[in-house]
Protein backbone atom coordinates (compact mmCIF):
# COMPACT_ATOMS: atom_id res chain seq x y z
CA UNK A 1 0.00 0.00 0.00
CA UNK A 2 2.75 2.39 0.93
CA UNK A 3 4.62 1.65 -2.31
CA UNK A 4 1.45 2.35 -4.30
CA UNK A 5 0.96 5.68 -2.50
CA UNK A 6 4.55 6.70 -3.24
CA UNK A 7 4.08 5.86 -6.90
CA UNK A 8 0.89 7.93 -7.08
CA UNK A 9 2.58 10.85 -5.32
CA UNK A 10 5.50 10.67 -7.74
CA UNK A 11 3.18 10.62 -10.75
CA UNK A 12 1.17 13.52 -9.34
CA UNK A 13 4.36 15.55 -8.82
CA UNK A 14 5.44 14.91 -12.43
CA UNK A 15 2.06 16.16 -13.64
CA UNK A 16 2.15 19.36 -11.61
CA UNK A 17 5.88 20.07 -11.85
CA UNK A 18 6.90 23.18 -13.77
CA UNK A 19 8.54 22.68 -17.13
CA UNK A 20 10.03 24.51 -20.09
CA UNK A 21 7.90 24.88 -23.21
CA UNK A 22 10.58 23.37 -25.44
CA UNK A 23 14.25 22.94 -26.35
CA UNK A 24 14.91 26.63 -27.08
CA UNK A 25 13.49 27.77 -23.74
CA UNK A 26 15.67 25.27 -21.90
CA UNK A 27 18.87 26.16 -23.79
CA UNK A 28 18.37 29.91 -23.32
CA UNK A 29 17.55 29.47 -19.62
CA UNK A 30 20.67 27.36 -19.02
CA UNK A 31 22.74 29.77 -21.12
CA UNK A 32 21.29 32.62 -19.08
CA UNK A 33 22.36 30.79 -15.95
CA UNK A 34 25.87 30.20 -17.30
CA UNK A 35 26.27 33.69 -18.75
CA UNK A 36 26.36 35.98 -15.75
CA UNK A 37 28.76 37.94 -13.60
CA UNK A 38 31.03 34.91 -13.83
CA UNK A 39 31.60 35.75 -17.49
CA UNK A 40 31.28 39.53 -17.58
CA UNK A 41 32.92 40.38 -14.25
CA UNK A 42 35.07 37.43 -13.16
CA UNK A 43 36.41 35.94 -16.39
CA UNK A 44 38.15 39.09 -17.74
CA UNK A 45 40.01 39.90 -14.53
CA UNK A 46 41.20 36.29 -14.14
CA UNK A 47 42.27 36.19 -17.80
CA UNK A 48 44.13 39.49 -17.37
CA UNK A 49 45.83 38.27 -14.20
CA UNK A 50 46.80 34.76 -15.34
CA UNK A 51 48.33 35.27 -18.75
CA UNK A 52 45.61 36.31 -21.19
CA UNK A 53 45.70 33.93 -24.15
CA UNK A 54 47.20 31.00 -22.23
CA UNK A 55 44.44 31.33 -19.60
CA UNK A 56 41.82 31.38 -22.38
CA UNK A 57 43.30 28.24 -24.00
CA UNK A 58 43.43 26.40 -20.66
CA UNK A 59 39.85 27.37 -19.89
CA UNK A 60 38.60 26.16 -23.29
CA UNK A 61 40.30 22.76 -22.92
CA UNK A 62 38.84 22.27 -19.44
CA UNK A 63 35.38 23.41 -20.49
CA UNK A 64 35.22 21.00 -23.45
CA UNK A 65 36.22 18.05 -21.25
CA UNK A 66 35.68 18.54 -17.54
CA UNK A 67 32.88 21.09 -17.88
CA UNK A 68 31.08 19.11 -20.58
CA UNK A 69 31.12 15.92 -18.48
CA UNK A 70 29.64 17.59 -15.41
CA UNK A 71 26.96 19.52 -17.34
CA UNK A 72 25.77 16.30 -19.00
CA UNK A 73 25.83 14.44 -15.67
CA UNK A 74 23.82 16.97 -13.68
CA UNK A 75 21.27 17.59 -16.45
CA UNK A 76 20.73 13.86 -17.08
CA UNK A 77 20.34 13.12 -13.35
CA UNK A 78 17.78 15.91 -13.07
CA UNK A 79 15.74 14.58 -16.00
CA UNK A 80 16.10 10.97 -14.86
CA UNK A 81 14.70 11.67 -11.38
CA UNK A 82 12.48 14.72 -12.14
CA UNK A 83 13.86 16.17 -8.91
CA UNK A 84 15.96 19.08 -7.71
CA UNK A 85 19.34 18.08 -6.15
CA UNK A 86 18.16 16.77 -2.77
CA UNK A 87 15.48 14.58 -4.32
CA UNK A 88 17.80 13.47 -7.14
CA UNK A 89 20.38 12.08 -4.70
CA UNK A 90 17.68 10.64 -2.40
CA UNK A 91 16.23 8.73 -5.36
CA UNK A 92 19.26 6.42 -5.19
CA UNK A 93 19.56 5.99 -1.43
CA UNK A 94 18.89 7.51 1.99
CA UNK A 95 22.26 7.08 3.67
CA UNK A 96 24.14 10.09 5.04
CA UNK A 97 26.34 10.39 1.95
CA UNK A 98 23.30 10.69 -0.35
CA UNK A 99 21.71 13.34 1.88
CA UNK A 100 25.01 15.26 2.04
CA UNK A 101 25.48 15.19 -1.75
CA UNK A 102 21.96 16.40 -2.39
CA UNK A 103 21.88 19.14 0.22
CA UNK A 104 25.31 20.61 -0.55
CA UNK A 105 24.25 20.99 -4.20
CA UNK A 106 20.98 22.57 -3.05
CA UNK A 107 22.43 24.94 -0.43
CA UNK A 108 25.16 26.42 -2.65
CA UNK A 109 22.84 28.57 -4.83
CA UNK A 110 20.94 29.67 -1.72
CA UNK A 111 24.21 31.06 -0.31
CA UNK A 112 25.45 32.50 -3.61
CA UNK A 113 22.36 34.43 -4.72
CA UNK A 114 22.31 36.80 -1.69
CA UNK A 115 25.86 38.12 -2.14
CA UNK A 116 25.47 37.89 -5.92
CA UNK A 117 22.47 40.20 -5.56
CA UNK A 118 24.63 42.66 -3.62
CA UNK A 119 27.01 42.87 -6.61
CA UNK A 120 23.95 43.08 -8.87
CA UNK A 121 22.87 46.10 -6.81
CA UNK A 122 26.24 47.73 -7.44
CA UNK A 123 25.67 47.24 -11.18
CA UNK A 124 22.21 48.87 -10.98
CA UNK A 125 23.75 51.81 -9.10
CA UNK A 126 26.44 52.34 -11.75
CA UNK A 127 23.90 52.07 -14.57
CA UNK A 128 21.69 54.63 -12.84
CA UNK A 129 24.60 57.05 -12.34
CA UNK A 130 25.59 56.77 -16.02
CA UNK A 131 21.99 57.39 -17.12
CA UNK A 132 21.82 60.58 -15.07
CA UNK A 133 25.14 61.79 -16.46
CA UNK A 134 27.48 61.18 -13.52
CA UNK A 135 30.10 59.18 -15.43
CA UNK A 136 32.93 61.53 -14.40
CA UNK A 137 32.06 61.15 -10.72
CA UNK A 138 32.28 57.34 -11.01
CA UNK A 139 35.84 57.69 -12.32
CA UNK A 140 37.04 59.62 -9.26
CA UNK A 141 39.41 57.92 -6.83
CA UNK A 142 37.63 56.52 -3.81
CA UNK A 143 34.12 56.66 -5.31
CA UNK A 144 33.52 52.92 -5.24
CA UNK A 145 34.90 52.34 -1.74
CA UNK A 146 32.87 55.25 -0.38
CA UNK A 147 29.73 53.89 -2.06
CA UNK A 148 29.96 50.34 -0.66
CA UNK A 149 30.92 51.73 2.77
CA UNK A 150 27.62 53.65 2.83
CA UNK A 151 25.41 50.97 4.38
CA UNK A 152 22.08 52.61 3.56
CA UNK A 153 22.89 53.18 -0.12
CA UNK A 154 24.42 49.72 -0.65
CA UNK A 155 21.37 48.14 1.00
CA UNK A 156 18.95 50.16 -1.14
CA UNK A 157 20.47 49.04 -4.46
CA UNK A 158 20.75 45.45 -3.25
CA UNK A 159 17.03 45.45 -2.38
CA UNK A 160 16.11 46.91 -5.77
CA UNK A 161 18.00 44.16 -7.61
CA UNK A 162 16.47 41.50 -5.35
CA UNK A 163 12.94 42.75 -6.10
CA UNK A 164 13.60 42.37 -9.84
CA UNK A 165 14.75 38.76 -9.34
CA UNK A 166 11.84 37.85 -7.06
CA UNK A 167 9.27 39.34 -9.47
CA UNK A 168 10.47 37.01 -12.26
CA UNK A 169 10.32 33.99 -9.93
CA UNK A 170 6.71 34.76 -8.99
CA UNK A 171 5.80 34.56 -12.69
CA UNK A 172 6.91 30.90 -12.83
CA UNK A 173 9.16 28.86 -15.12
CA UNK A 174 7.50 29.39 -18.52
CA UNK A 175 6.11 32.89 -17.97
CA UNK A 176 8.99 34.13 -15.84
CA UNK A 177 12.35 32.36 -16.14
CA UNK A 178 11.94 31.20 -19.74
CA UNK A 179 10.32 34.37 -21.09
CA UNK A 180 12.92 36.66 -19.51
CA UNK A 181 15.76 34.48 -20.85
CA UNK A 182 14.34 34.56 -24.40
CA UNK A 183 14.36 38.36 -24.36
CA UNK A 184 17.50 39.06 -22.36
CA UNK A 185 19.95 36.62 -23.94
CA UNK A 186 19.73 37.89 -27.56
CA UNK A 187 19.84 41.49 -26.28
CA UNK A 188 22.86 40.65 -24.16
CA UNK A 189 24.73 39.27 -27.20
CA UNK A 190 23.94 42.36 -29.30
CA UNK A 191 25.16 44.71 -26.58
CA UNK A 192 28.28 42.62 -25.96
CA UNK A 193 29.26 42.76 -29.64
CA UNK A 194 28.69 46.53 -29.71
CA UNK A 195 30.83 47.20 -26.62
CA UNK A 196 33.58 44.80 -27.76
CA UNK A 197 33.86 46.56 -31.14
CA UNK A 198 33.99 49.95 -29.40
CA UNK A 199 36.69 48.72 -27.02
CA UNK A 200 38.87 47.07 -29.68
CA UNK A 201 38.87 50.18 -31.89
CA UNK A 202 40.32 52.49 -29.22
CA UNK A 203 43.93 53.68 -29.80
CA UNK A 204 46.38 51.20 -28.28
CA UNK A 205 43.69 48.55 -27.72
CA UNK A 206 45.04 46.03 -30.24
CA UNK A 207 47.86 45.03 -27.89
CA UNK A 208 45.14 43.99 -25.46
CA UNK A 209 43.41 41.92 -28.15
CA UNK A 210 46.70 40.12 -28.87
CA UNK A 211 47.40 39.58 -25.16
CA UNK A 212 43.95 38.05 -24.66
CA UNK A 213 43.68 35.86 -27.78
CA UNK A 214 47.26 34.71 -28.50
CA UNK A 215 48.62 32.14 -26.00
CA UNK A 216 52.05 32.97 -24.59
CA UNK A 217 53.44 29.95 -22.75
CA UNK A 218 55.84 32.20 -20.82
CA UNK A 219 52.77 33.34 -18.87
CA UNK A 220 51.73 29.79 -17.99
CA UNK A 221 51.83 28.56 -14.40
CA UNK A 222 50.06 25.95 -12.29
CA UNK A 223 47.89 28.75 -10.94
CA UNK A 224 46.64 29.34 -14.51
CA UNK A 225 45.14 25.85 -14.46
CA UNK A 226 43.72 26.18 -10.95
CA UNK A 227 42.17 29.58 -11.69
CA UNK A 228 40.71 28.32 -14.98
CA UNK A 229 39.17 25.30 -13.24
CA UNK A 230 37.64 27.48 -10.54
CA UNK A 231 36.28 29.90 -13.14
CA UNK A 232 34.74 27.01 -15.07
CA UNK A 233 32.60 26.05 -12.06
CA UNK A 234 31.41 29.62 -11.61
CA UNK A 235 30.87 30.30 -15.30
CA UNK A 236 29.07 27.10 -16.34
CA UNK A 237 26.80 26.90 -13.25
CA UNK A 238 28.31 23.53 -12.34
CA UNK A 239 27.80 22.19 -8.79
CA UNK A 240 25.16 24.79 -7.96
CA UNK A 241 22.08 22.58 -8.21
CA UNK A 242 20.86 24.65 -11.17
CA UNK A 243 21.47 22.01 -13.82
CA UNK A 244 19.74 19.34 -11.72
CA UNK A 245 16.76 21.66 -11.37
CA UNK A 246 16.59 22.71 -15.01
CA UNK A 247 17.17 19.11 -16.09
CA UNK A 248 14.13 18.09 -14.06
CA UNK A 249 12.03 20.57 -16.07
CA UNK A 250 12.89 19.16 -19.52
CA UNK A 251 11.16 16.42 -21.46
CA UNK A 252 12.64 13.23 -22.89
CA UNK A 253 12.78 14.64 -26.44
CA UNK A 254 15.31 17.34 -25.47
CA UNK A 255 18.75 16.39 -26.82
CA UNK A 256 20.98 16.77 -23.75
CA UNK A 257 24.27 16.44 -25.64
CA UNK A 258 23.29 18.96 -28.31
CA UNK A 259 21.91 21.37 -25.70
CA UNK A 260 25.15 21.09 -23.72
CA UNK A 261 27.14 21.89 -26.86
CA UNK A 262 24.97 24.96 -27.48
CA UNK A 263 25.50 26.14 -23.90
CA UNK A 264 29.27 25.62 -24.30
CA UNK A 265 29.30 27.72 -27.46
CA UNK A 266 27.14 30.45 -25.94
CA UNK A 267 29.14 30.58 -22.72
CA UNK A 268 32.48 30.67 -24.56
CA UNK A 269 31.29 33.37 -26.95
CA UNK A 270 30.15 35.63 -24.11
CA UNK A 271 33.32 34.99 -22.08
CA UNK A 272 35.46 35.91 -25.07
CA UNK A 273 33.32 38.97 -25.79
CA UNK A 274 33.67 40.01 -22.15
CA UNK A 275 37.44 39.70 -22.45
CA UNK A 276 37.38 41.73 -25.66
CA UNK A 277 35.23 44.38 -23.99
CA UNK A 278 37.43 44.87 -20.95
CA UNK A 279 41.05 43.83 -21.60
CA UNK A 280 41.65 45.93 -24.79
CA UNK A 281 39.97 48.88 -23.06
CA UNK A 282 42.34 48.54 -20.10
CA UNK A 283 45.34 48.32 -22.46
CA UNK A 284 44.17 51.46 -24.26
CA UNK A 285 43.79 53.20 -20.90
CA UNK A 286 46.98 51.99 -19.17
CA UNK A 287 49.26 50.77 -21.96
CA UNK A 288 49.18 47.26 -20.50
CA UNK A 289 50.36 48.25 -17.03
CA UNK A 290 50.63 44.95 -15.04
CA UNK A 291 49.22 46.51 -11.88
CA UNK A 292 46.12 47.67 -13.75
CA UNK A 293 45.66 44.28 -15.41
CA UNK A 294 45.83 42.56 -12.02
CA UNK A 295 43.33 44.89 -10.40
CA UNK A 296 41.11 41.86 -9.77
CA UNK A 297 37.41 42.27 -8.89
CA UNK A 298 37.76 46.06 -8.82
CA UNK A 299 38.43 46.05 -12.58
CA UNK A 300 34.75 46.56 -13.38
CA UNK A 301 33.82 49.14 -10.75
CA UNK A 302 37.04 51.18 -10.50
CA UNK A 303 39.14 50.69 -13.65
CA UNK A 304 36.41 50.48 -16.31
CA UNK A 305 34.68 53.76 -15.30
CA UNK A 306 38.10 55.45 -15.55
CA UNK A 307 38.58 53.84 -18.98
CA UNK A 308 35.24 55.17 -20.27
CA UNK A 309 35.86 58.62 -18.82
CA UNK A 310 39.29 58.82 -20.50
CA UNK A 311 37.96 57.81 -23.91
CA UNK A 312 35.17 60.32 -24.32
CA UNK A 313 31.60 59.10 -24.91
CA UNK A 314 31.89 57.87 -21.32
CA UNK A 315 28.20 58.29 -20.57
CA UNK A 316 26.92 56.41 -23.62
CA UNK A 317 29.51 53.62 -23.38
CA UNK A 318 28.87 53.28 -19.64
CA UNK A 319 25.09 53.00 -20.11
CA UNK A 320 25.44 50.25 -22.70
CA UNK A 321 28.14 48.40 -20.75
CA UNK A 322 26.37 48.38 -17.39
CA UNK A 323 23.03 47.54 -19.02
CA UNK A 324 24.76 44.51 -20.51
CA UNK A 325 26.23 43.55 -17.14
CA UNK A 326 22.82 44.00 -15.49
CA UNK A 327 21.16 41.63 -17.98
CA UNK A 328 23.85 39.03 -17.35
CA UNK A 329 23.56 39.43 -13.58
CA UNK A 330 19.78 39.10 -13.65
CA UNK A 331 19.69 35.92 -15.76
CA UNK A 332 22.16 34.17 -13.45
CA UNK A 333 20.58 35.41 -10.22
CA UNK A 334 17.20 34.18 -11.43
CA UNK A 335 18.67 30.74 -12.14
CA UNK A 336 20.36 30.56 -8.74
CA UNK A 337 17.19 31.57 -6.94
CA UNK A 338 15.05 29.20 -9.06
CA UNK A 339 17.15 26.27 -7.86
CA UNK A 340 16.38 27.24 -4.24
CA UNK A 341 12.68 27.67 -5.01
CA UNK A 342 12.54 24.20 -6.57
CA UNK A 343 14.27 22.67 -3.54
CA UNK A 344 11.77 24.28 -1.15
CA UNK A 345 8.85 23.05 -3.28
CA UNK A 346 10.19 19.49 -3.42
CA UNK A 347 11.44 19.11 0.14
CA UNK A 348 8.92 21.14 2.13
CA UNK A 349 5.90 20.30 -0.01
CA UNK A 350 4.78 23.94 -0.16
CA UNK A 351 3.40 25.96 -3.06
CA UNK A 352 5.60 27.81 -5.52
CA UNK A 353 4.39 31.15 -4.16
CA UNK A 354 5.42 30.26 -0.60
CA UNK A 355 8.72 28.85 -1.87
CA UNK A 356 9.48 32.14 -3.67
CA UNK A 357 8.69 34.10 -0.51
CA UNK A 358 10.97 31.83 1.53
CA UNK A 359 13.77 32.22 -1.03
CA UNK A 360 13.20 35.98 -0.91
CA UNK A 361 13.63 35.90 2.87
CA UNK A 362 16.94 34.01 2.52
CA UNK A 363 18.18 36.58 -0.02
CA UNK A 364 17.12 39.46 2.24
CA UNK A 365 18.82 38.03 5.35
CA UNK A 366 22.18 36.94 3.95
CA UNK A 367 22.29 39.66 1.30
CA UNK A 368 21.79 42.41 3.84
CA UNK A 369 24.64 41.03 5.96
CA UNK A 370 26.89 40.99 2.87
CA UNK A 371 25.81 44.48 1.76
CA UNK A 372 26.64 45.90 5.19
CA UNK A 373 29.95 44.01 5.36
CA UNK A 374 31.82 47.00 3.92
CA UNK A 375 29.99 49.51 6.12
CA UNK A 376 28.29 48.95 9.47
CA UNK A 377 29.65 45.38 9.70
CA UNK A 378 33.13 46.08 8.34
CA UNK A 379 34.61 45.07 11.68
CA UNK A 380 33.59 41.44 10.96
CA UNK A 381 36.47 39.46 9.45
CA UNK A 382 36.21 35.77 8.58
CA UNK A 383 39.56 34.12 7.81
CA UNK A 384 40.82 37.62 7.04
CA UNK A 385 38.03 38.26 4.52
CA UNK A 386 35.00 40.53 4.37
CA UNK A 387 31.59 38.85 4.73
CA UNK A 388 30.94 38.94 0.97
CA UNK A 389 34.39 37.60 0.11
CA UNK A 390 33.99 34.84 2.70
CA UNK A 391 30.68 33.69 1.18
CA UNK A 392 32.37 33.67 -2.24
CA UNK A 393 35.28 31.59 -0.89
CA UNK A 394 32.98 29.22 1.03
CA UNK A 395 30.74 28.47 -1.94
CA UNK A 396 33.11 28.68 -4.91
CA UNK A 397 36.30 27.26 -3.43
CA UNK A 398 35.06 24.74 -0.86
CA UNK A 399 31.44 23.72 -1.34
CA UNK A 400 31.32 23.59 -5.15
CA UNK A 401 34.27 21.17 -5.51
CA UNK A 402 32.68 18.97 -2.83
CA UNK A 403 29.32 19.10 -4.62
CA UNK A 404 30.96 18.19 -7.94
CA UNK A 405 32.85 15.33 -6.29
CA UNK A 406 29.55 14.02 -4.87
CA UNK A 407 28.07 14.07 -8.39
CA UNK A 408 31.09 12.15 -9.77
CA UNK A 409 30.73 9.48 -7.10
CA UNK A 410 26.97 9.23 -7.64
CA UNK A 411 27.40 8.77 -11.40
CA UNK A 412 30.34 6.35 -11.35
CA UNK A 413 29.66 4.32 -8.19
CA UNK A 414 25.87 4.33 -7.75
CA UNK A 415 23.92 5.16 -10.91
CA UNK A 416 26.56 3.78 -13.28
CA UNK A 417 27.93 5.35 -16.42
CA UNK A 418 25.94 2.93 -18.58
CA UNK A 419 22.60 3.93 -17.08
CA UNK A 420 23.38 7.63 -17.30
CA UNK A 421 24.45 7.23 -20.92
CA UNK A 422 21.09 5.55 -21.62
CA UNK A 423 19.33 8.63 -20.24
CA UNK A 424 21.27 10.86 -22.64
CA UNK A 425 20.57 8.45 -25.51
CA UNK A 426 16.80 8.75 -25.07
CA UNK A 427 16.82 11.68 -27.47
CA UNK A 428 20.07 11.34 -29.47
CA UNK A 429 23.26 9.47 -30.20
CA UNK A 430 25.82 10.09 -27.47
CA UNK A 431 28.69 11.14 -29.77
CA UNK A 432 31.15 12.04 -27.01
CA UNK A 433 30.25 9.03 -24.89
CA UNK A 434 33.76 7.51 -24.70
CA UNK A 435 35.34 10.82 -23.74
CA UNK A 436 32.59 11.44 -21.18
CA UNK A 437 33.01 8.04 -19.51
CA UNK A 438 36.81 8.29 -19.42
CA UNK A 439 36.75 11.77 -17.92
CA UNK A 440 34.09 11.01 -15.29
CA UNK A 441 35.81 7.81 -14.19
CA UNK A 442 39.43 9.01 -14.05
CA UNK A 443 40.16 12.70 -14.59
CA UNK A 444 37.22 14.63 -13.11
CA UNK A 445 37.86 13.53 -9.49
CA UNK A 446 41.55 14.49 -9.81
CA UNK A 447 40.65 17.95 -11.16
CA UNK A 448 38.09 18.52 -8.40
CA UNK A 449 40.42 17.51 -5.56
CA UNK A 450 43.12 19.76 -7.08
CA UNK A 451 40.79 22.78 -6.99
CA UNK A 452 39.75 22.04 -3.42
CA UNK A 453 43.23 21.67 -1.96
CA UNK A 454 44.67 24.58 -3.97
CA UNK A 455 41.92 26.87 -2.64
CA UNK A 456 42.54 25.80 0.95
CA UNK A 457 46.31 26.19 0.54
CA UNK A 458 45.80 29.69 -0.85
CA UNK A 459 43.75 30.79 2.17
CA UNK A 460 46.32 29.32 4.54
CA UNK A 461 49.05 31.22 2.71
CA UNK A 462 50.90 28.14 1.45
CA UNK A 463 50.51 29.24 -2.18
CA UNK A 464 49.57 32.53 -3.82
CA UNK A 465 46.71 32.70 -6.31
Amino acid sequence: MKKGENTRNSLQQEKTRSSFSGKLGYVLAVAGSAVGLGNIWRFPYLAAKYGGGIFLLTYLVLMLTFGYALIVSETALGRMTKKSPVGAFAAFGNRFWFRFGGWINAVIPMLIVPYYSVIGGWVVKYLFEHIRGSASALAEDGYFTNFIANGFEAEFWFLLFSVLVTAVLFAGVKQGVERVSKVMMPLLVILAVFVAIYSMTRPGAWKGVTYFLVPNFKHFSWMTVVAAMGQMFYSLSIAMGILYTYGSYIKDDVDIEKSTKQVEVFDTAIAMLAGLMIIPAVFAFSGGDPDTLKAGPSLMFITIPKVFASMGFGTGAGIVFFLLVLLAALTSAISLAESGVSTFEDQLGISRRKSVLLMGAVILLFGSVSALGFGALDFVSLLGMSILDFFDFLTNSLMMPLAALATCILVTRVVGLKKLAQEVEKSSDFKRKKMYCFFMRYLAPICIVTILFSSIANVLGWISM
Side-chain angles (χ1 to χ4, degrees):
M1 182 70 179
K2 188 174 181 181
K3 185 177 180 181
E5 288 177 359
N6 289 338
T7 302
R8 285 195 298 274
N9 290 338
S10 178
L11 289 171
Q12 184 178 10
Q13 185 184 34
E14 286 191 30
K15 288 179 182 178
T16 58
R17 188 169 185 78
S18 301
S19 65
F20 293 110
S21 62
K23 300 173 187 177
L24 178 62
Y26 164 71
V27 170
L28 287 177
V30 175
S33 166
V35 178
L37 289 176
N39 294 75
I40 310 296
W41 168 59
R42 209 168 187 268
F43 185 92
Y45 83 71
L46 286 175
K49 184 176 181 180
Y50 292 108
I54 194 63
F55 176 88
L56 177 62
L57 178 62
T58 305
Y59 175 82
L60 291 176
V61 171
L62 289 170
M63 182 198 64
L64 292 171
T65 53
F66 186 13
Y68 167 83
L70 287 174
I71 291 175
V72 168
S73 296
E74 293 188 15
T75 307
L77 287 168
R79 188 172 75 176
M80 183 188 298
T81 60
K82 293 297 179 188
K83 304 279 188 180
S84 51
V86 178
F89 273 80
F92 301 101
N94 194 38
R95 296 195 301 272
F96 169 79
W97 183 85
F98 291 101
R99 294 196 300 273
F100 173 81
W103 275 108
I104 194 170
N105 272 278
V107 168
I108 287 169
M110 297 181 197
L111 292 179
I112 291 178
V113 72
Y115 80 77
Y116 195 98
S117 297
V118 172
I119 302 170
W122 298 348
V123 175
V124 179
K125 159 72 173 177
Y126 270 59
L127 174 60
F128 174 76
E129 293 298 338
H130 274 98
I131 289 173
R132 74 172 192 166
S134 301
S136 58
L138 297 176
E140 293 176 3
D141 291 335
Y143 183 91
F144 177 66
T145 52
N146 290 335
F147 158 57
I148 61 175
N150 185 326
F152 174 79
E153 193 172 9
E155 180 75 6
F156 171 79
W157 293 107
F158 151 69
L159 290 174
L160 182 58
F161 182 87
S162 301
V163 168
L164 293 174
V165 173
T166 307
V168 175
L169 295 176
F170 268 121
V173 174
K174 286 182 183 177
Q175 299 303 316
V177 178
E178 181 178 336
R179 178 174 287 184
V180 167
S181 297
K182 283 183 175 180
V183 173
M184 285 189 178
M185 295 315 296
L187 181 59
L188 190 152
V189 173
I190 294 169
L191 291 176
V193 170
F194 173 81
V195 176
I197 292 173
Y198 173 82
S199 176
M200 289 188 293
T201 53
R202 299 305 91 199
W206 196 249
K207 288 183 180 179
V209 176
T210 304
Y211 175 78
F212 178 57
L213 295 182
V214 180
N216 185 339
F217 287 89
K218 291 181 180 178
H219 295 149
F220 180 81
S221 69
W222 176 241
M223 286 300 101
T224 303
V225 179
V226 174
M229 281 195 284
Q231 171 60 22
M232 186 191 62
F233 274 90
Y234 206 102
S235 183
L236 294 175
S237 299
I238 295 168
M240 296 185 187
I242 294 171
L243 296 172
Y244 281 94
T245 302
Y246 280 8
S248 74
Y249 293 158
I250 62 175
K251 300 168 185 175
D252 289 346
D253 64 341
V254 172
D255 187 332
I256 290 177
E257 185 173 32
K258 184 178 178 181
S259 300
T260 300
K261 188 186 300 182
Q262 291 168 336
V263 171
E264 285 177 324
V265 170
F266 210 104
D267 175 80
T268 303
I270 295 296
M272 291 183 71
L273 280 172
L276 292 173
M277 284 189 291
I278 293 176
I279 294 176
V282 172
F283 263 80
F285 169 71
S286 68
D289 176 40
D291 292 334
T292 304
L293 285 174
K294 296 180 180 181
S298 64
L299 202 63
M300 179 181 293
F301 296 105
I302 296 177
T303 307
I304 288 299
K306 292 179 182 292
V307 168
F308 288 147
S310 72
M311 290 178 175
F313 306 101
T315 297
I319 290 173
V320 175
F321 177 78
F322 283 102
L323 177 60
L324 162 69
V325 178
L326 176 60
L327 294 178
L330 278 171
T331 53
S332 284
I334 289 164
S335 298
L336 289 163
E338 176 62 31
S339 180
V341 169
S342 180
T343 296
F344 290 144
E345 283 186 283
D346 290 349
Q347 301 308 310
L348 302 181
I350 58 178
S351 68
R352 179 176 180 87
R353 183 179 180 83
K354 290 180 180 177
S355 297
V356 172
L357 289 172
L358 184 55
M359 190 66 237
V362 171
I363 295 172
L364 178 63
L365 175 62
F366 288 103
S368 294
V369 171
S370 297
L372 297 173
F374 299 99
L377 298 178
D378 66 345
F379 62 90
V380 178
S381 178
L382 302 168
L383 297 178
M385 293 177 274
S386 68
I387 297 172
L388 188 149
D389 289 338
F390 174 76
F391 276 123
D392 183 53
F393 165 74
L394 177 66
T395 53
N396 191 59
S397 300
L398 295 183
M399 295 177 70
M400 285 163 66
L402 288 173
L405 188 60
T407 296
C408 284
I409 295 171
L410 181 67
V411 169
T412 57
R413 305 298 180 190
V414 181
V415 179
L417 290 166
K418 182 178 179 180
K419 187 174 180 181
L420 193 133
Q422 289 172 346
E423 179 66 32
V424 177
E425 291 167 343
K426 281 183 179 180
S427 52
S428 69
D429 294 330
F430 197 172
K431 296 178 181 177
R432 286 196 263 178
K433 180 177 177 180
K434 288 184 179 179
M435 185 276 289
Y436 167 81
C437 292
F438 175 78
F439 209 90
M440 287 299 291
R441 180 175 283 121
Y442 301 112
L443 297 182
I446 295 173
C447 292
I448 293 166
V449 171
T450 299
I451 298 171
L452 180 62
F453 281 100
S454 297
S455 300
I456 295 172
N458 179 59
V459 168
L460 295 176
W462 298 344
I463 60 175
S464 177
M465 295 173 62

